[in-house]
Amino acid sequence: MTTAERAGAPDPAEAVPPDPSLADAPGPARRFWSVRRLPAVLVAAVLLAASGLTLYDVVAVRAHRTGMAWRRTLAHQLATRHLDDPWVLAGASLALLLGLWLFVLAVTPGLRRLLPLRTDDPDVRAVLDRRAAALVLRDRAMEVPGVRSVRVGVGRRVVRARAQAHFRALDEVRRDVDSVLTDAVRELGLTRAPVLSVRVGRPPKG
């Protein structure tokens, strides 16, 4: 969330152009997909290290050398422990959680900070950063008479605005803030219009 006072509010942020490295998906209303380089690098590094270490140990045994202690210990444990052993269950649970995490990464687009925008050309796609959208909405709400400060949080489905009014009736300020932000959200041109939640209160007394 961002907080601003009436004096010194930053310039409204502009729409963020799509990253050319992002994977493309058909349809202007679809979200961009993250390439997820970090999870891919981590999984590849772990598999490479495990495969290289195992291959080295196998070659050493083939060369009539003593195998590594960790592999002999692991083979002994796998041969002697039962399936209901707590360590076996813990290892299986960890492998299951890791597999579910990788599956979720594979089937979800990610990039939750980017909101897709409507475009007239189906071959053109645009997005708006959620923080940039929050700055735009915050500045619009600060123009309402009586508003002293505003905090705006922009989600993919809900926009939450929390304003403090130092004069005028709270009901009137809330009605004006709700009207201004409703128009501002519409002008953002999002493909999916979020639900607007507005709360107005008095600043705490010093």
Side-chain angles (χ1 to χ4, degrees):
M1 289 190 176
T2 57
T3 305
E5 300 297 329
R6 182 173 295 278
D11 295 334
E14 297 180 353
V16 178
D19 189 342
S21 64
L22 301 178
D24 195 10
R30 299 284 296 277
R31 292 173 57 191
F32 287 94
W33 281 71
S34 172
V35 294
R36 291 193 169 96
R37 294 185 179 91
L38 182 58
V41 169
L42 292 178
V43 173
V46 171
L47 292 179
L48 179 62
S51 301
L53 192 61
T54 303
L55 179 61
Y56 173 82
D57 191 54
V58 170
V59 171
V61 172
R62 292 291 183 179
H64 305 290
R65 295 182 181 180
T66 304
M68 293 183 178
W70 68 267
R71 192 166 71 89
R72 298 198 306 270
T73 302
L74 179 61
H76 175 73
Q77 294 293 335
L78 293 176
T80 56
R81 289 186 181 272
H82 299 286
L83 295 178
D84 58 350
D85 187 271
W87 285 102
V88 175
L89 295 177
S93 300
L94 181 61
L96 177 62
L97 292 177
L98 179 60
L100 289 176
W101 176 62
L102 295 176
F103 178 78
V104 170
L105 291 180
V107 299
T108 55
L111 297 178
R112 298 176 62 87
R113 73 181 188 279
L114 301 180
L115 302 173
L117 300 176
R118 295 192 304 269
T119 58
D120 297 331
D121 189 343
D123 295 329
V124 176
R125 304 183 63 207
V127 292
L128 179 65
D129 188 272
R130 292 199 300 180
R131 289 173 295 183
L135 289 174
V136 173
L137 298 179
R138 180 206 62 187
D139 289 346
R140 292 291 299 275
M142 291 293 294
E143 297 174 358
V144 175
V147 173
R148 177 180 178 181
S149 64
V150 184
R151 291 187 304 164
V152 178
V154 178
R156 292 191 298 118
R157 294 183 176 86
V158 181
V159 173
R160 293 182 173 87
R162 304 295 179 260
Q164 292 183 355
H166 55 96
F167 68 90
R168 298 182 64 199
L170 293 182
D171 291 341
E172 295 179 0
V173 176
R174 185 193 181 283
R175 182 171 60 252
D176 291 346
V177 171
D178 186 87
S179 176
V180 167
L181 291 185
T182 299
D183 294 338
V185 169
R186 186 185 308 110
E187 293 171 0
L188 290 178
L190 303 177
T191 56
R192 176 183 296 177
V195 177
L196 181 61
S197 173
V198 177
R199 292 184 181 178
V200 178
R202 297 294 185 190
K205 296 182 179 180

